[in-house]
Amino acid sequence: MTGSSSLASSGGKSPGADTSSHQFDQPAAGVKQAPPCTLVIFGAGGDLTKRLLMPALYNLSGGKLLPDRFSIIGVDRVQQGDDAWRHTLTETMQSFTKDKTAEFYTPKLDDAAWGWVSSRLHYLSGDFSQDETFANIGKAIGDGSAVFYLAVAARFFGTVVDGLGKAGLLKQSDSMFRRVVIEKPFGADLPSAQALNARILKQADESQFYRIDHFLGKETVQSIMAVRFANGMFEPMWRREYIDHVEITAAETVGVEQRGAFYEPTGALRDMVPNHLFTLLCMAAMEPPNSFDAEDVRTERAKLVQAIRPLRPDEAVRGQYTAGEELAAAVPAYRQEPHVAPDSHTETYVALKLSIENWRWAGVPFYLRTGKRMAGRQTEISIHYKPAPYRIFSGTPVDATTSNVVRLLIDPDQGIDTELDAKVPGPQMRLGRVKTSLRYKTFFEEPPNVGYETLLYDCMMGDTILFQRADNIEASWRVVQPLLEAWGRGEGEVESYTAGSQGPAGADALLQHDGDAWSRLSD
């Protein structure tokens, strides 16, 4: 659907829209600009808006993907005006030129690109629970198309959607769209996710809700489908007849640090598994869709999650980091972090063994792990193939064959590694391990990206392929619900692991039961 803003429909000027031409007027050949619309950001003063949404809009502007008739309205409780909000965001953007460790780093801020964005910034102060706030938003956007981005704490999701619905701001027409982007966490368990879905769907149609998982905004995550389905060498052997087990890792070296108030009631399972790790699982294990149509792809993702057997407590290991070292610097234990209880039992690490009960994957264990303060920052999917039959090598110095491995690298390296056996040069038959490495940056020049550019652009374009549907969200929570209930009753221990290590010993035992072992995290 192509929408038209109030500028187009009334001949007036929508908030912040500059109708003069600028250097970003036309996108690259074959790429469409987003349609005219207003982006309304609830939580305008928050960290997400400053660190990710504004850099993403800056990059989209530089990529010529935003239309002239585009405006941004920030909504938050703090009393301030347009100029004050612009000044704060400009200072934050300029700070990214000095911090090479930031998610968005640029050696120099392009004044034209940022000026184009900042000239379209407008601020509205208001309480999310007050009708007046939504009445003011309605006056600002008029009868134009709009995307409402909920960059707020999860407790406000239902309140904001209720306010939008009550004010009539979610009503659409053939010439105008209204869409809502909802950040994670979407619910804290299965009942709360079901309740939130039921609540928001009273106000608008499923097609208007874009439940976001920023992992799907990563280019390397999106490329998994291309690698699997565009190359004949992979898909025929991407099944239980050939694959022994699959590892999915999302390890971080950082700790909880200043996020203790959020992390204490959340923990690693809720924070990472039903969303990020299951996103990677779906991309690696889903059936080929009939097409790259959004609903075809989302249906296959949902079917995959629905085929996962709900987890038992003996298929999970929890851990919490103690004091240790990262990069030769001493770091505190989780219980010593700000806003964390001194006797906390919140897990900062979780390892799982999943079973997918369908024809492709029956009998293949999927091992998932995620943790903070680990030995290395590493997000990857490792496909371990079954070893080749040994019989042909009997009577040679070869005493065993080993598993071939295909690693899909997502962060910080982006590419594909393989491990296989080959003959060592010499008169005897001896096998040696050979590793190959492909890095996407060797072949492709990736534009600046913080992971939100594609997600924002797709939402404006009405493409839902990278967003979660209600049935997928609920199916994901259904898999982990037995663990949440068991842990809520105090069952199972939370093991300790030293910051900067490979994780708790129980995680190793989880795999050793099947004769498997985790790939070592890089130091």
Side-chain angles (χ1 to χ4, degrees), residues 21 31 53 99 108 130 179 218 264 275 283 298 331-332 418 463 480 511:
S21 58
V31 178
L53 297 185
D99 184 4
K108 184 180 185 302
Q130 298 298 314
R179 297 169 185 147
K218 296 178 180 289
E264 268 287 85
N275 36 69
M283 293 303 218
R298 299 208 298 175
V331 294
T418 63
D463 187 349
V480 302
L511 274 65

Side-chain angles (χ1 to χ4, degrees), residues 134-148:
F134 297 93
N136 289 335
I137 294 171
K139 293 174 185 176
I141 63 177
D143 59 357
S145 295
V147 172
F148 302 101

Side-chain angles (χ1 to χ4, degrees), residues 387-401:
Y390 172 72
R391 178 65 183 172
I392 189 175
F393 295 101
S394 60
T396 75
V398 176
D399 56 9
T401 58

Side-chain angles (χ1 to χ4, degrees), residues 276-397:
H276 300 332
L277 290 190
F278 279 12
T279 288
L280 299 180
L281 174 65
C282 286
M283 293 303 218
M286 61 186 275
E287 292 295 320
N290 291 333
S291 72
F292 280 107
D293 174 79
E295 287 310 300
D296 285 348
V297 173
R298 299 208 298 175
T299 294
E300 292 303 334
R301 290 207 304 257
K303 285 165 61 178
L304 188 282
V305 178
Q306 290 163 4
I308 303 173
R309 189 184 68 213
L311 284 157
R312 303 190 307 262
D314 65 341
E315 295 172 320
V317 172
R318 290 184 290 170
Q320 185 187 97
Y321 63 82
T322 57
E325 287 191 356
E326 288 282 2
L327 301 176
V331 294
Y334 172 73
R335 293 180 178 182
Q336 297 171 323
E337 300 279 19
H339 311 297
V340 172
D343 59 348
S344 172
H345 287 83
T346 297
E347 79 281 358
T348 61
Y349 175 102
V350 65
L352 307 171
K353 176 185 175 182
L354 269 64
S355 298
I356 301 175
E357 297 179 332
N358 63 15
W359 281 103
R360 181 184 289 264
W361 296 114
V364 177
F366 281 73
Y367 302 120
L368 279 60
R369 62 174 167 172
T370 183
K372 294 187 176 296
R373 290 286 185 218
M374 304 295 291
R377 172 186 161 197
Q378 202 164 311
T379 301
E380 67 177 35
I381 301 169
S382 299
I383 313 296
H384 295 256
Y385 284 85
K386 294 179 179 179
Y390 172 72
R391 178 65 183 172
I392 189 175
F393 295 101
S394 60
T396 75

Side-chain angles (χ1 to χ4, degrees), residues 182-184 210-218 272-280 451-452 455 466-468:
I182 301 181
E183 274 282 345
K184 79 167 187 78
Y210 290 66
R211 301 170 187 82
I212 201 168
D213 181 346
H214 71 260
F215 260 45
L216 279 169
K218 296 178 180 289
M272 292 291 293
V273 175
N275 36 69
H276 300 332
L277 290 190
F278 279 12
T279 288
L280 299 180
Y452 276 76
L455 297 168
L466 298 179
F467 297 87
Q468 304 275 36

Side-chain angles (χ1 to χ4, degrees), residues 230-241:
N231 297 288
M233 64 185 291
F234 287 122
E235 186 58 21
M237 295 189 297
W238 209 269
R239 58 187 64 248
R240 61 191 173 102
E241 290 85 356

